[in-house]
Amino acid sequence: MLPKHIAIIMDGNGRWAQARGYPRFYGHLRGSNRVKEIVREARKIGIPALTLYAFSTENWKRPEDELSVLWRTLQKYIRRQIGDMKKNGIRLHVIGEMERLPADVQTELKNAMNELKNENKMILTFALSYGSRAEILNAVKLISKECMAGTISPDQITDKEFEKHLWTSPLGENSDVDLMIRTSGEKRLSNYLLWQASYAEFDFPEIFWPDYSVEEFHKSLENFSNRKRRFGAV
Ligand code: IPE
Ligand code: IPE
Ligand code: MG
């Protein structure tokens, strides 16, 4: 079985570069090539939702020059890939505090999302200035306001109703993560998709993100297909 929603924590760019005597930013450049390959492959094999952790709310603590490389790399990525995405029916979505990103990056992303808004073969989501607790708190605030306005009563707040208020709501029935992958050997979620990953299967390849090839991606898929997902049943 193929997962419907794959979430990836693309970790280890800095260590990959440092291990080779390059500055950290070079790892981000090489990492963005992998993004391109993995997106193409996911689309090719028919994965309906792919969500990539590119920048966490905690990543704002990084030095200014590294941040600027990250934003420029993202901008270049969008500019270069938009044609390919259009051709392949890929819709673009962003989760996170988009308003905190540099203005020109926001503009680039908004234009691309608009250009791709009718594509429906796969939804590619970038998590940017993303934090799962912030996402959940935001949903709680929205629902509280609806309760106070009387449009919904507290008893009507089901899982499905709650999910409509999460940033992943455009993913609809695919918003639950089936397969969560984190490269680099770290085994933690770092505030990523805490609600959506409730029943995810995990894969932790012991390689840095710039080494995560299409072949490695297939190994992750193979691991997933061998799991027995019981969802609490026997
Ligand atoms: C992941 O690689 C990319 C981002 C967080 C933007 P890192 O930059 O975290 O690389 P390491 O973990 O320091 O090696
Ligand atoms: C998590 O990686 C976020 C991304 C990959 C974008 P980090 O490298 O920032 O996470 P920690 O600090 O190791 O938890
Ligand atoms: Mg890291």
Side-chain angles (χ1 to χ4, degrees):
M1 261 268 281
L2 277 177
K4 290 201 180 92
H5 183 187
I6 301 179
I8 309 184
I9 304 177
M10 309 183 290
D11 198 16
N13 291 350
R15 279 166 286 168
W16 179 92
Q18 279 165 334
R20 285 161 183 75
Y22 300 124
R24 286 180 55 86
F25 78 84
Y26 187 59
H28 298 313
L29 302 184
R30 293 293 290 263
S32 79
N33 290 329
R34 292 304 186 192
V35 176
K36 182 175 71 190
E37 294 169 17
I38 301 303
V39 169
R40 274 192 192 151
E41 190 63 16
R43 169 67 191 90
K44 196 172 119 196
I45 61 180
I47 304 292
L50 176 66
T51 303
L52 304 175
Y53 208 178
F55 195 90
S56 72
T57 39
E58 290 72 25
N59 289 146
W60 287 111
K61 295 178 208 157
R62 295 189 179 200
E64 200 54 54
D65 56 341
E66 183 169 343
L67 296 182
S68 116
V69 170
L70 283 168
W71 299 129
R72 266 188 289 129
T73 308
L74 174 70
Q75 221 169 2
K76 212 185 290 172
Y77 180 88
I78 300 293
R79 241 174 249 167
R80 290 193 180 160
Q81 296 309 310
I82 185 161
D84 215 60
M85 289 173 73
K86 183 106 189 160
K87 203 167 74 202
N88 289 298
I90 302 175
R91 182 174 161 195
L92 179 68
H93 179 50
V94 170
I95 53 174
E97 313 158 317
M98 204 154 100
E99 65 288 351
R100 284 182 76 181
L101 311 194
D104 52 339
V105 177
Q106 288 186 43
T107 308
E108 194 86 39
L109 287 166
K110 281 178 192 155
N111 289 343
M113 283 191 282
N114 193 39
E115 176 78 22
L116 301 167
K117 67 174 188 280
N118 295 322
E119 305 309 320
N120 58 13
K121 298 276 192 295
M122 174 168 112
I123 178 158
L124 170 65
T125 304
F126 281 107
L128 299 170
S129 190
Y130 174 85
S132 191
R133 288 186 173 181
E135 179 186 30
I136 292 170
L137 277 178
N138 180 63
V140 169
K141 286 177 195 167
L142 293 172
I143 294 195
S144 304
K145 283 178 194 161
E146 288 174 25
C147 285
M148 289 178 76
T151 51
I152 188 174
S153 82
D155 295 335
Q156 290 170 317
I157 307 170
T158 57
D159 279 22
K160 290 284 159 263
E161 185 56 41
F162 188 74
E163 284 168 5
K164 285 186 203 154
H165 300 78
L166 292 172
W167 290 326
T168 47
S169 65
L171 278 69
E173 58 177 19
N174 293 325
S175 68
D176 275 358
V177 175
D178 297 305
L179 172 60
M180 169 72 74
I181 300 164
R182 182 173 191 149
T183 56
S184 92
E186 308 297 352
K187 296 178 180 66
R188 55 174 170 265
L189 276 176
S190 301
N191 203 10
Y192 193 40
L193 301 174
L194 303 180
W195 173 282
Q196 296 87 340
S198 288
Y199 265 103
E201 296 292 331
F202 286 79
D203 190 43
F204 299 108
E206 297 275 341
I207 50 172
F208 297 129
W209 176 253
D211 286 331
Y212 192 73
S213 59
V214 166
E215 202 186 338
E216 294 290 340
F217 183 50
H218 278 278
K219 282 190 210 161
S220 297
L221 293 168
E222 175 74 25
N223 287 342
F224 175 83
S225 69
N226 292 327
R227 303 280 175 87
K228 296 237 173 335
R229 303 184 81 197
R230 283 184 288 269
F231 297 100
V234 289

